[in-house]
Amino acid sequence: MEQNKASRVLITVAVMSATIMQALDTTIVNVALPQMQGNLGTTSDQISWVLTSYLVASAIFMPLTGYLTDKLGRRRYLLYSIAGFVLSSMLCGIAQNLTQIVAFRLLQGVFGAALVPLSQAIMADTFPLAERGRAMAIWGMGVMLGPIGGPTLGGWLTDVLDWRWTFYINVPVGLISLLLARRVPDTPRRERSVDWIGLFLLSLGIGGLQFVLDRGNTEDWFESRLIVAVVLATLVGLIGFGIRGMVSRQKPLFDLHIFRDGNFAASSFVITALGLAMYGAMVIQPIMLEGLFHYPTLSTGLVMAPRGIASMVSMMIIGRLVAKVDVRYLIGAGILIGASGTWVCTHYTLDTDTYWFVWPVLLQGFGLGMIWVPLSTLALSTLPPALTAEAAGLFSLLRTIGSSIGIAVITTFYTRDTQAAWNHLVGYFNINNPALWLYLKQSGRSTLDDSSAALLASELDRQAHMVAIVDVYWLITFSFLLMLPLVLLLRRRRNARPHVEMGPE
């Protein structure tokens, strides 16, 4: 339903403020994790659950968007989602221990799950056909700038106020969005069934996979009976969901035949891999800056800010080009630019200065902006109109799963590689190594000094972490490059519509 210009502006502000609020919470606590860890008394492995619990809950409840939209009506469901998100944000802010904050983050994910797909559908219905390319660019900026700008805003709030304000900030934004969202056109309610068995299998698969990735390193992977049992349950869930989606006579949770469309299948793999590339970089950079270079939280956020600025500029440019240039070229160029920015990071050392932390981030942000908007447009461009709504929900689900997996993979890889690097480097720390004598001499010490052992242990730890961080950046670089073959599978249909109607059924 198209609106007049004034109504379109108000509706856009309402849905985009809710979308940005939801997207921010995927990463806004990244730079605050060290402070949260100390305040809540947790380990570094446990505190990462604050990130992944939110994403997992969002991924599990996202498939219910269409069902609840039909049962409640689009406007009422949007209002309930915003109100619940604001309330759960307040609860996160007052949490006193790890159990509470993980539980409240799960609740945040439940209420936030529908905000992105609902905003897609509302933006598509609000703007006329000729302006929907621009509308999708605005929507893409909100979805991308939320997680990209999260560390910057989180760093400022944590440094100036307290980590709890990374959650309290949602309250005023959510209330404004809630007030304006009453202008969103409603949709008629209708009876609709949902594949509860399919939802259970999908939840089992997603939840189990995330549990394995989060706890596998701590539990020593397949040496643990618990991990083996969860892996089996995960396989049952994912395989069962796939079989049910392909052969069930009832309407499945998702029509997996959508993957027969080459554009959608290739775009889905790219958006999932993008989770590792985008969220991996945003997780490892605060760890490096705060842990090894002792940057204050606010400074870390400022160093990461250019990523969001570059993405904004990129999306504004691409929003105008997406209808004029073959989007496959835009996506391919974005992948190469993002990969080059990450490749520069593989040359970091403990002597690297701030300049070299900032400009690669600009390249990463610009490349990500070039990928997101055309990929979101092309993914559904060759699907029949009757399938675009369902495909949009599945596309958002895969983006969320990719983000969650990306965080877990990067943190696990970093932890294991740090230990491996430590074991390798410790061999060079022996009394017969001339370099060790020279290092101690430059520090004004000798091998006989009592303080030498502590100094060498500290340096060994720093070097091992630096090696692991460089290896993480290599992994992220390769994840970018692995997307390139998938771009070759994309195709542009000559008479494709310049827009896609994305959102729940």
Side-chain angles (χ1 to χ4, degrees), residues 264-484:
F264 183 78
S267 297
S268 297
F269 283 114
V270 172
I271 200 65
T272 304
L274 192 63
L276 174 63
M278 182 172 73
Y279 284 85
M282 288 190 292
V283 167
I284 200 63
Q285 192 167 26
I287 293 175
M288 176 183 68
L289 293 178
E290 296 180 38
L292 289 181
F293 294 89
H294 306 295
Y295 277 40
T297 308
L298 177 57
S299 299
T300 299
L302 292 174
V303 168
M304 298 177 70
R307 181 184 281 109
I309 297 171
S311 290
M312 180 181 295
V313 173
S314 176
M315 288 182 183
M316 291 174 64
I317 296 172
I318 297 303
R320 296 179 179 274
L321 294 178
V322 72
K324 303 175 183 178
V325 180
D326 190 333
V327 292
R328 295 172 297 180
Y329 298 146
L330 298 176
I331 296 171
I335 291 173
L336 292 175
I337 292 173
S340 65
T342 309
W343 174 78
V344 172
C345 301
T346 63
H347 295 78
Y348 283 165
T349 69
L350 291 170
D351 297 320
T352 301
D353 59 29
T354 302
Y355 170 79
W356 285 92
F357 293 142
V358 172
W359 76 264
V361 163
L362 284 167
L363 288 178
Q364 293 169 17
F366 197 88
L368 289 169
M370 290 186 67
I371 298 170
W372 178 259
V373 173
L375 188 67
S376 299
T377 302
L378 189 61
L380 313 184
S381 64
T382 52
L383 284 170
L387 293 177
T388 55
E390 186 170 2
L394 184 55
F395 193 71
S396 293
L397 173 65
L398 292 171
R399 175 185 61 83
T400 305
I401 292 174
S403 304
S404 182
I405 292 175
I407 292 172
V409 168
I410 288 299
T411 53
T412 299
F413 183 86
Y414 171 67
T415 301
R416 293 184 68 86
D417 203 65
T418 298
Q419 184 61 52
W422 194 96
N423 292 336
H424 174 73
L425 292 174
V426 73
Y428 295 95
F429 283 67
N430 64 77
I431 197 71
N432 298 317
N433 188 343
L436 184 142
W437 287 77
L438 179 61
Y439 175 77
L440 290 176
K441 183 178 180 181
Q442 291 174 342
S443 303
R445 294 177 173 83
S446 72
T447 55
L448 300 178
D449 293 337
D450 293 336
S451 61
S452 295
L455 175 67
L456 293 175
S458 175
E459 184 62 23
L460 174 61
D461 186 68
R462 292 174 67 238
Q463 295 287 350
H465 279 84
M466 191 71 249
V467 169
I469 287 171
V470 168
D471 288 343
V472 166
Y473 277 119
W474 274 116
L475 176 63
I476 297 171
T477 301
F478 289 136
S479 73
F480 266 111
L481 297 178
L482 287 174
M483 299 181 210
L484 280 176

Side-chain angles (χ1 to χ4, degrees), residues 25 28-29 31-41 47 50 86-98 100-102 104-105 108 153-172 297:
D25 270 70
I28 194 171
V29 299
V31 296
L33 289 180
Q35 190 181 109
M36 294 175 64
Q37 181 181 337
N39 189 265
L40 299 174
I47 202 65
V50 175
V86 170
L87 177 60
S88 56
S89 296
M90 293 176 60
L91 293 173
C92 287
I94 63 176
Q96 298 300 311
N97 54 54
L98 180 67
Q100 289 180 6
I101 196 166
V102 169
F104 296 146
R105 284 286 278 178
Q108 256 193 326
L153 179 59
W156 182 80
L157 291 170
T158 302
D159 201 54
V160 175
L161 297 169
D162 182 75
W163 67 264
R164 297 180 186 277
W165 280 91
T166 61
F167 299 108
Y168 291 148
I169 190 65
N170 290 332
V171 177
T297 308

Side-chain angles (χ1 to χ4, degrees), residues 3 48 186 190 304 405 497 504:
Q3 308 290 317
S48 67
D186 206 357
R190 57 173 177 161
M304 298 177 70
I405 292 175
R497 295 170 296 153

Side-chain angles (χ1 to χ4, degrees), residues 182-253:
R182 293 184 300 174
R183 298 183 64 92
V184 171
D186 206 357
T187 55
R189 303 183 198 180
R190 57 173 177 161
E191 288 299 319
R192 175 175 169 173
S193 60
V194 66
D195 181 12
W196 295 108
I197 295 177
L199 180 63
F200 170 77
L201 292 172
L202 181 63
S203 301
L204 182 65
I206 294 175
L209 176 62
Q210 194 62 51
F211 181 89
V212 171
L213 292 173
D214 282 341
R215 296 288 302 276
N217 196 47
T218 305
E219 300 288 340
D220 200 20
W221 296 102
F222 293 104
E223 296 298 320
S224 166
R225 292 182 178 180
L226 175 63
I227 294 298
V228 172
V230 176
V231 167
L232 292 175
T234 301
L235 292 174
V236 169
L238 294 178
I239 295 173
F241 176 75
I243 294 174
R244 185 173 180 81
M246 297 297 291
V247 304
S248 176
R249 295 183 179 180
Q250 299 180 352
K251 181 174 176 56
L253 197 62

